[in-house]
Structure formats: structure tokens, C-alpha cells
Amino acid sequence: MKDARYQVFSGSIAGMANQSVCHPFDTIRTRLQMKPELKGPIDCFIKIARFEGIFGFYKGFTAPFVAQAVYKSVIFSVNAFAKDVCEVNKIKPSPLATFACGAVSGTVNSFIVTPVELVRNQLMMQINDSKKKYNGPRHFILLLYKSSDSTLDFVRRMYRGLPATIIRDSGGVGFWFLGFSLGISKAMSVSGSATEASIPMYLLMISGSLGGLLFWCFALPFDCIKTRMQCLNVPQHSQPKFLQIVRSMKPRDFIKGWQVALGRGIPGAATTLTVHHLV
């Protein structure tokens, strides 16, 4: 396993680079999943640009940008640790082992991602700045804490959408690493590279893109469920139930924002995985 400090550093750099480029896509995808009156990504883009300006695309940016330094390094560190465990237990490298290691890292990471995305989504859904309820991440967290009955209730409310996030990220991150691994193997064969370090950058980017494609093909339905769980207005002392949300959704609701998810996920994964591989 590479040095843990390397995993933290390279994962942080890769994650923050990805978030800076891709946050506007997240904003559009979240709005599409929650606003049925929007006709599509272009309509959403035009309305945000017209009524909210460039900063409208970066609502809720601070929390995930800062958190990227944590949870991308967690993903890469836990994945590397899981691979070490497989090696110690003499489990041979295979697509299944690659997927399993990625799934473990995605599961661990979901406990960090869920509260961050709750804050992000709540801020993203504030369309009218003159009537906005929250002034920023700290303000949202403070109000949620003050309205909670106890610290335990506050933690429970911060983890709205956790079941959907665990499913999304365990399977999604498993496919993320699997796609990249399969791409790397093919790239070495195509380019005649003796080692991964000698693979041309454009083939690394293609390999990362495959990981992003597989991630969102699996994860999008669960992302749509999670968004509803985190954004729907519910009474203070109740929580949206996973199965209740699923039953309330129409088939097309499970793939809302697919254009943006793929448009964001493919270059985002290519950037993150390639930067981590090169740093």
C-alpha cells in the first residue's frame, strides 16, 4: 500500500479539482430531480443563469469542496487498505475483488458524504435569494441543531438519505474502480506499456471516463431517491422513508438528470482518477 499521506494528499487534490469543475453540474442535476416544471438541462441552465447569475451554479459549493479533501482521500485510502487485506489473505486480483474493495470504500465514505450532501442540497434548492432561509452551511447546521430535540436527534436529521447513499456509493464506487481497472488493463494492452506509469495520459482519461460511466449507470436511480429524501419538506420529527419515496416515484423519476449526471460523471471521474494516478 502506498504511504497513507500520499493517499490523503493525492485524493484531496484530485477531489477538489473535480469539485471545482463539476459543482454546476450537481446544481443542475439536483434542480432537475426536484423541479418537475423544468423541461431539461438547457432550460434549467438558462433559468439559473438568467435569474441567479453565475453564483447560482455554485450554491452550496463550500461544504462539498472542503469535504472533498476528506472523502476522496477516504475512498482511495480505504480502497488501498482493502486491497492490502486481500493480498494478506492471498485473494488473487480479479474484477470481483476490485469491485468489492471499491464497494467497501464507498460504504465507508457514505457516512461522510451524506451530511455534506444534505447541506449542499438544501442550499442548492434556495432559488429566490430574497427569500432564502439559510445564509450558508454554518447557518443551516446551526438552525437544524437548534430545532432538534437532542444531539442524537440532530445527528439523525443530518443523516437523512443515508440508506440511499450507502446503496448508491457502495455499488457505484465499486463500479468506479472496476471500470478504471478494466480500462487500465486494456490501455496497457493497446499502448504496449510495460507498466501503468507509462500509459499515455489520454488513455488514463479514457479509463477514468469508463469508471464514471459505470458509476452513474448504477448510481443514478439511488441518487434520485436520496435527493428526494434530503430535499422534501417533512415535519420536524419525521424522516422520509426509503420505500415510501420509491413508491411515490414514477419510472422516469429514477433517471431524472441523466444527461447532467453523465456529462458531469464522465469528465469528473476522468479528472479525479487520472490526477490521483499521476500525483
Side-chain angles (χ1 to χ4, degrees):
M1 177 178 174
K2 291 181 179 179
D3 186 271
R5 289 172 295 181
Y6 164 82
Q7 297 292 344
V8 172
F9 175 73
S10 59
S12 299
I13 296 298
M16 288 187 289
N18 172 62
Q19 190 63 37
S20 299
V21 173
C22 295
H23 190 82
F25 292 91
D26 291 335
T27 302
I28 294 172
R29 187 184 76 249
T30 300
R31 294 277 182 92
L32 288 172
Q33 290 173 353
M34 290 304 299
K35 297 290 181 180
E37 65 271 19
L38 293 170
K39 298 176 183 178
I42 295 177
D43 181 45
C44 183
F45 175 86
I46 291 173
K47 286 181 177 176
I48 293 175
R50 179 182 297 173
F51 298 111
E52 302 173 61
I54 185 66
F55 293 108
F57 293 100
Y58 280 90
K59 285 183 176 179
F61 173 72
T62 306
F65 178 76
V66 173
Q68 282 286 348
V70 178
Y71 58 72
K72 277 298 187 295
S73 60
V74 167
I75 282 178
F76 287 113
S77 298
V78 174
N79 182 67
F81 176 76
K83 286 183 176 179
D84 274 2
V85 171
C86 288
E87 186 177 338
V88 169
N89 287 277
K90 298 181 180 179
I91 299 174
K92 294 181 179 180
S94 68
L96 180 59
T98 299
F99 176 86
C101 292
V104 170
S105 63
T107 300
V108 173
N109 196 55
S110 64
F111 288 89
I112 302 171
V113 169
T114 299
V116 173
E117 292 191 348
L118 172 69
V119 175
R120 182 200 69 182
N121 288 346
Q122 288 287 331
L123 295 176
M124 279 180 174
M125 294 308 297
Q126 295 189 129
I127 297 175
N128 191 333
D129 285 342
S130 64
K131 297 180 180 179
K132 67 181 182 180
K133 185 178 179 180
Y134 311 114
N135 295 323
R138 291 179 61 186
H139 188 222
F140 168 79
I141 294 171
L142 180 62
L143 289 181
L144 190 69
Y145 182 78
K146 287 183 176 180
S147 64
S148 300
D149 293 334
S150 63
T151 301
L152 182 61
D153 182 48
F154 168 70
V155 172
R156 180 181 65 87
R157 295 171 70 191
M158 282 294 291
Y159 275 90
R160 273 174 62 175
L162 178 61
T165 309
I166 290 175
I167 298 172
R168 181 196 69 178
D169 285 4
S170 59
V173 176
F175 280 116
W176 198 61
F177 279 111
L178 176 60
F180 186 62
S181 176
L182 294 175
I184 288 292
S185 297
K186 186 65 175 178
M188 291 180 66
S189 174
V190 170
S191 65
S193 302
T195 63
E196 292 184 11
S198 60
I199 297 174
M201 183 181 291
Y202 78 93
L203 289 178
L204 287 176
M205 296 290 287
I206 292 174
S207 300
S209 298
L210 178 60
L213 175 63
L214 293 183
F215 175 95
W216 280 109
C217 285
F218 173 86
L220 184 58
F222 301 104
D223 186 66
C224 292
I225 296 168
K226 179 198 67 70
T227 297
R228 292 200 173 209
M229 293 181 74
Q230 293 187 330
C231 293
L232 286 175
N233 291 321
V234 295
Q236 177 179 333
H237 299 292
S238 65
Q239 289 275 11
K241 303 298 183 183
F242 181 89
L243 290 179
Q244 288 178 345
I245 295 293
V246 171
R247 293 191 189 103
S248 71
M249 295 171 68
K250 298 176 181 178
R252 66 175 180 271
D253 293 334
F254 291 97
I255 57 170
K256 276 192 172 179
W258 67 268
Q259 309 95 323
V260 184
L262 294 179
R264 176 243 198 269
I266 292 175
T271 301
T272 301
L273 289 164
T274 299
V275 169
H276 177 267
H277 194 82
L278 294 175
V279 171

